[in-house]
Amino acid sequence: MNEVKLKLAALMMQKNETELLEKWIIYHADLFGIDNLYIFDNGSDDKQTIEILRHWESQGIRVIWEYLSKQDFESKGTILGDRIKMLETSHHYDCFIPLDCDEFLAVRLSNGAISCEATDICDEIKRHAGSEDILLIDAQFFNSPISEQWFHRFENRKCFFMKGTFKSMDVGFHWGKTKNSEKEVKTNLVQFHFHYKPFAIAREYARNKLALRVKSFDKDYLSNYKGAGEHLVKYFLLSEKQYLKNVLSVPHFYINVLSEKFASLGIEWPYFHEMKDSFSVLTPNADFNQKDIVRKLHNVADHRFRGSIDQIVCVGENIRIDGWCAEMNTLPICHFALEGAKGEQYLVTGESVLRPDIASLLGFDDRKFGFAITVPIEVLHSLGISELILFPKLQSGEMGPALSINKKYQNFISDVLS
């Protein structure tokens, strides 16, 4: 496990989270160290969940068993907060991070990439050492119910606390208070949130959450319900296909660092088999492993990327693709993915090119937003390419929408390969 320079404590309350619990433990033990995880069991009665807790408790995780009721869950902000206050008296920890079992901590780096590494997360937290402010994560990335690599970025408030500052927090860890400051500071910490569980599981999960909050599960009653947990009502008003289409209609980003981190830790993707079934609900005869189909089922976010392919020329047995691309109007893009019917090829720009027209447009006279990429024609054949489809790609694995092509060159590739 990683060496962690700061002493960080993660606190979480759960009940019967059989699918996510061990994954959450392995992932966060890699970040914080196993004996710095505090899990409050809220009366689990699932045998496998209890076995997981007993096993990891024997490995050093602190499991607190005394909060068994649904009322305790509604008071989890206070319960976890009391434990933070108690831990503060030992002066052992530098930072306290409350999480839910479906939340996995990460950090956004200065280059825009997302990292799941302990050193990067600690470096970000160290930037706030000595702060007495209310610290917030930057955003959550909600999982896709049909893919391991697509996420919806959601501006969801979540707070955490440096040592000696904690005063209180609410049940969802959205609103916190510190002892000596009312100022809120958004940090670069982010969370991957497995918000979208398989439909049948999500409906049962929602039923358990709403049981103390609603008078009835009648559709007419629920359609007019306003109150705690109202975001869960949709599971009782929509079919699975409607639900999936609604989830995928919001902007999604391609981010593969979490799936790669899970693989390196030996963690199977949560609800993987159910995820394949959900994919089949939308596309009964399609192959789950076809990335182009998976991509097309998502509403690909495009507001972060700008650019175009301005020229394509033959150079011997190669083609050269000239154009420009930027992320958030500030960062030149040097990595791309070329997609064909038979697969993808990742490309790096052969040279970055100063494009005075684009630099002036974006307000950075010294940045080389232009690119020139050389690709062997045989690669185009091997990928089964009939038209040029080039995606901007971040080092994190996130990809934007395909770049537009100058109309003059739209048929260039098919003419060359014919």
Side-chain angles (χ1 to χ4, degrees), residues 275-305:
M275 189 169 67
K276 293 177 70 174
D277 292 340
S278 293
F279 177 80
S280 297
V281 168
L282 294 174
T283 53
N285 300 314
D287 182 355
F288 178 72
N289 295 311
Q290 284 191 270
K291 291 185 176 181
D292 58 331
I293 294 177
V294 174
R295 170 185 285 272
K296 288 174 183 176
L297 289 172
H298 295 84
N299 175 17
V300 180
D302 60 3
H303 65 276
R304 289 183 62 179
F305 298 92

Side-chain angles (χ1 to χ4, degrees), residues 164-218:
T165 68
F166 180 82
K167 184 177 180 181
S168 67
M169 63 184 173
D170 70 320
V171 64
F173 320 138
H174 305 297
W175 301 92
K177 294 182 179 180
T178 55
K179 295 175 182 177
N180 299 316
S181 175
E182 295 183 357
K183 180 182 178 182
E184 295 183 339
V185 175
K186 183 172 280 193
T187 71
N188 290 316
L189 292 187
V190 298
Q191 292 172 354
F192 288 104
H193 185 179
F194 285 89
H195 181 74
Y196 296 115
K197 295 176 174 62
F199 185 71
I201 295 172
R203 176 178 280 181
E204 189 58 30
Y205 179 85
R207 185 182 300 277
N208 291 334
K209 287 274 187 127
L210 286 170
L212 283 181
R213 297 170 173 172
V214 301
K215 297 177 181 178
S216 164
F217 284 92
D218 177 77

Side-chain angles (χ1 to χ4, degrees), residues 26 48 71 81 165 181 214 258 287 361 365 383 387 389 417:
I26 294 171
Q48 187 177 350
Q71 288 78 9
T165 68
S181 175
V214 301
L258 187 64
D287 182 355
L361 172 68
D365 293 337
L383 293 176
E387 60 176 321
I389 304 177
L417 298 181

Side-chain angles (χ1 to χ4, degrees), residues 115-355:
S115 171
C116 299
E117 300 304 320
T119 52
D120 293 326
I121 291 171
C122 286
D123 284 346
E124 171 60 21
I125 293 174
K126 281 192 292 186
R127 290 180 57 242
H128 304 280
S131 171
E132 296 188 338
D133 300 323
I134 304 161
L135 301 177
L136 303 175
I137 68 160
D138 179 58
Q140 289 190 325
F141 289 92
F142 284 8
N143 66 304
S144 163
I146 63 166
S147 171
E148 302 168 66
Q149 284 92 27
W150 287 92
F151 293 87
H152 168 57
R153 188 179 186 277
F154 185 69
E155 295 283 347
N156 194 14
R157 289 180 58 96
K158 289 281 183 169
C159 57
F160 66 99
F161 307 89
M162 300 306 293
K163 64 181 179 181
T165 68
F166 180 82
K167 184 177 180 181
S168 67
M169 63 184 173
D170 70 320
V171 64
F173 320 138
H174 305 297
W175 301 92
K177 294 182 179 180
T178 55
K179 295 175 182 177
N180 299 316
S181 175
E182 295 183 357
K183 180 182 178 182
E184 295 183 339
V185 175
K186 183 172 280 193
T187 71
N188 290 316
L189 292 187
V190 298
Q191 292 172 354
F192 288 104
H193 185 179
F194 285 89
H195 181 74
Y196 296 115
K197 295 176 174 62
F199 185 71
I201 295 172
R203 176 178 280 181
E204 189 58 30
Y205 179 85
R207 185 182 300 277
N208 291 334
K209 287 274 187 127
L210 286 170
L212 283 181
R213 297 170 173 172
V214 301
K215 297 177 181 178
S216 164
F217 284 92
D218 177 77
K219 281 190 175 183
D220 289 336
Y221 169 79
L222 289 177
S223 63
N224 295 301
Y225 174 73
K226 301 295 180 184
E230 63 182 281
H231 64 287
L232 301 170
V233 165
K234 60 180 175 285
Y235 297 105
F236 304 95
L237 303 179
L238 300 175
S239 69
E240 181 174 5
K241 192 169 187 177
Q242 290 171 324
Y243 161 74
L244 291 171
K245 286 187 174 182
N246 285 353
V247 170
L248 300 178
S249 68
V250 298
H252 279 74
F253 296 98
Y254 181 91
I255 309 174
N256 66 357
V257 290
L258 187 64
S259 60
E260 290 182 350
K261 185 65 175 179
F262 274 21
S264 72
L265 294 173
I267 300 173
E268 184 180 57
W269 195 257
Y271 306 107
F272 181 76
H273 301 289
E274 293 87 350
M275 189 169 67
K276 293 177 70 174
D277 292 340
S278 293
F279 177 80
S280 297
V281 168
L282 294 174
T283 53
N285 300 314
D287 182 355
F288 178 72
N289 295 311
Q290 284 191 270
K291 291 185 176 181
D292 58 331
I293 294 177
V294 174
R295 170 185 285 272
K296 288 174 183 176
L297 289 172
H298 295 84
N299 175 17
V300 180
D302 60 3
H303 65 276
R304 289 183 62 179
F305 298 92
R306 296 178 66 184
S308 64
I309 296 170
D310 301 324
Q311 179 178 260
I312 309 172
V313 297
C314 281
V315 183
E317 296 300 312
N318 305 307
I319 64 162
R320 194 186 74 230
I321 307 168
D322 297 330
W324 71 277
C325 191
E327 186 223 354
M328 299 293 283
N329 286 352
T330 60
L331 298 174
I333 297 294
C334 300
H335 298 257
F336 297 85
L338 184 64
E339 184 178 282
K342 299 179 181 178
E344 291 180 344
Q345 176 75 36
Y346 294 120
L347 306 171
V348 180
T349 54
E351 60 177 308
S352 294
V353 180
L354 182 61
R355 288 278 301 266

